[in-house]
Amino acid sequence: MLSTRPAAQGHTLVALLNARGAVASELPLFRIAPVGDPTAQRAQLAAARSASAWIFTSANAARRAAALDTGSWPSLLAIGAATARTLAEL
């Protein structure tokens, strides 16, 4: 098995698979990095606080939003178990 996930996210999966008898290795083919203007993103998040809910489809996006905005958030919805876990930890 070849994991092409970003280096910071692929190691755990490869270690788990190898521990269970698989032959797995890492080949990170991309990386997750913030884009855009952080000041504008902070302003957009602040303006969106009046929304009924924020929906996150990515644990990476949830972590980035948390780094940008430590204020009070509306209700949070997650697509996927990993995103839900990340939101619960924030």
Side-chain angles (χ1 to χ4, degrees), residues 11-60:
H11 180 71
T12 300
L13 173 63
V14 168
L16 178 65
L17 290 169
N18 285 331
R20 294 192 176 181
V23 177
S25 60
E26 296 178 64
L27 177 63
L29 295 179
F30 65 97
R31 67 184 168 110
I32 305 290
V35 298
D37 174 21
T39 302
Q41 292 168 342
R42 284 186 193 93
Q44 284 185 281
L45 288 167
R49 285 195 190 122
S50 62
S52 299
W54 290 355
I55 301 172
F56 286 92
T57 60
S58 154
N60 292 312

